[in-house]
Amino acid sequence: MGTVVIALGGNALLKRGEPMTEENQRRNARLAAEALAPLCLEHTAVVTHGNGPQVGLLALQQEGSDTPATLDVLGAQTEGAIGYMIEQELGNVLPFDKPIATILTMTEVDLDDPAFKNPTKFIGKVYSEEEAKKEADAKGWVVKQDGKYWRRVVASPEPKRIFQLHPIQWLLEKGTTVVAAGGGGIPTAYDPNAERQLIGVECVIDKDNASSLLARDLKADFFVVATDADAVYLDWGKPEQKAIRSATPDGMDAYDFPAGSMGPKVKAAQDFARATGNRAVICSLADIPQAVKGEKGTTIFAGAGETAFY
């Protein structure tokens, strides 16, 4: 038995094109729990998850408010709601005496991170250029063009530290399956104008990046990135596409992956494999049990040798 960190993609709770109803999210949480259950029984497990669609919806609901909640508070709300669904559905498929806990997780960011000077993460609804610039002037936003529309953008800084690392470790030592670092964690920083005072930050943290940091800090035996693809592909969507079975972290550097989809997942897996020497796996949710055994998905680790394909 070892420790495994499983990062669930946003599709774990909301499939592409599905309405964001509680019923849909609950059904998908149930499917995720059924796929995760074998791993939670065989290993000490931490489950992380995305929150992009959920926090985006909450941000939209806030836009008409005179006192809108900040992104860190919206992130905390989604951590609680999504964690509740995952925790409850896992409890419905795991043995009655298997403890499960959701940890509201804060992630430290650096206010001097270069990402704050060039926000790139689109959130919220679309506007015309005139509307977007009017909203930006009124609310202090940064807006950028997104295709033929304009949208608000926020920074996506590097995660520096998981504040709740020790409580997560204590729970794992007691055999608890832990749900943590949802949505990359609640973005938090130290106030530069006060000593040891934490403040929330208006930004978003990449979920895979934060999950990789948590997996490294926990010295996990496996880091699993579950997505809607069954492996990492070269020439995705083309007739000559091929799936990578295994590669070293340096071997993956030979290829370019889209920044908006597979790129962050590959980087997160590389960072974990380089730091720990252990295996990182990128696979579909349904394939997790087989992927951990090397039978499916893409495995990245230092001892992989030459890049192998299916």
Side-chain angles (χ1 to χ4, degrees):
M1 178 180 288
T3 299
V4 58
V5 174
I6 309 130
L8 298 180
N11 64 301
L13 285 180
L14 198 69
K15 307 298 182 186
R16 295 181 190 275
E18 278 187 338
M20 198 185 307
T21 64
E22 184 176 325
E23 180 183 1
N24 284 338
Q25 294 180 81
R26 171 73 69 178
R27 183 182 64 254
N28 291 324
R30 189 174 303 121
L31 294 173
E34 290 169 355
L36 294 175
L39 223 57
C40 294
L41 289 174
E42 295 171 12
H43 301 274
T44 304
V46 178
V47 180
T48 70
H49 59 81
N51 71 342
Q54 292 83 4
V55 81
L57 178 62
L58 288 180
L60 280 174
Q61 294 171 346
Q62 294 289 314
E63 286 189 13
S65 171
D66 293 331
T67 56
T70 52
L71 283 175
D72 55 308
V73 173
L74 298 182
Q77 290 177 7
T78 60
E79 270 198 351
I82 297 171
Y84 157 67
M85 288 188 185
I86 294 173
E87 180 178 335
Q88 192 172 75
E89 294 302 333
L90 274 174
N92 288 336
V93 294
L94 289 174
F96 182 74
D97 59 350
K98 177 68 174 176
I100 310 164
T102 299
I103 295 288
L104 202 62
T105 312
M106 295 188 296
T107 301
E108 183 182 3
V109 298
D110 186 346
L111 294 178
D112 291 326
D113 191 298
F116 287 104
K117 296 180 180 178
N118 182 30
T120 58
K121 189 72 171 179
F122 290 106
I123 66 166
K125 68 179 183 180
V126 298
Y127 298 91
S128 68
E129 180 178 359
E130 181 181 356
E131 290 172 334
K133 291 181 177 179
K134 183 178 178 180
E135 291 289 319
D137 290 340
K139 299 177 180 177
W141 290 354
V142 177
V143 295
K144 291 184 179 179
Q145 191 168 3
D146 184 16
K148 63 179 181 178
Y149 296 105
W150 286 67
R151 295 175 70 193
R152 181 187 180 189
V153 288
V154 296
S156 183
E158 290 288 312
K160 291 180 60 181
R161 174 166 49 144
I162 306 294
F163 279 105
Q164 282 69 36
L165 177 64
H166 292 312
I168 292 169
Q169 289 173 322
W170 298 333
L171 287 166
L172 293 177
E173 289 168 3
K174 296 297 184 181
T176 305
T177 294
V178 179
V179 183
I186 304 162
T188 310
Y190 282 102
D191 187 341
N193 301 312
E195 186 175 354
R196 296 188 69 252
Q197 294 294 307
L198 288 173
I199 55 173
V201 182
E202 283 269 86
C203 68
V204 295
I205 302 168
D206 181 78
K207 173 264 302 175
D208 295 312
N209 205 354
S211 300
S212 177
L213 174 61
L214 177 58
R216 298 194 304 268
D217 287 346
L218 291 173
K219 298 179 175 57
D221 297 281
F222 291 97
F223 174 45
V224 179
V225 180
T227 183
D228 53 1
D230 60 1
V232 179
Y233 282 78
L234 301 184
D235 299 315
W236 172 253
K238 299 179 181 179
E240 63 271 24
Q241 72 176 31
K242 54 182 178 179
I244 299 173
R245 184 182 187 116
S246 62
T248 64
D250 291 347
M252 295 298 284
D253 283 337
Y255 312 108
D256 290 323
F257 301 100
S261 56
M262 193 57 75
K265 302 179 192 315
V266 170
K267 180 184 180 299
Q270 288 175 294
D271 289 346
F272 172 79
R274 284 183 171 124
T276 65
N278 294 331
R279 296 171 187 250
V281 180
I282 301 174
C283 63
S284 70
L285 180 64
D287 290 343
I288 287 177
Q290 299 98 315
V292 169
K293 299 175 184 176
E295 298 170 359
K296 291 190 175 183
T298 298
T299 302
I300 301 172
F301 69 110
E306 290 190 8
T307 301
F309 299 89
Y310 284 97

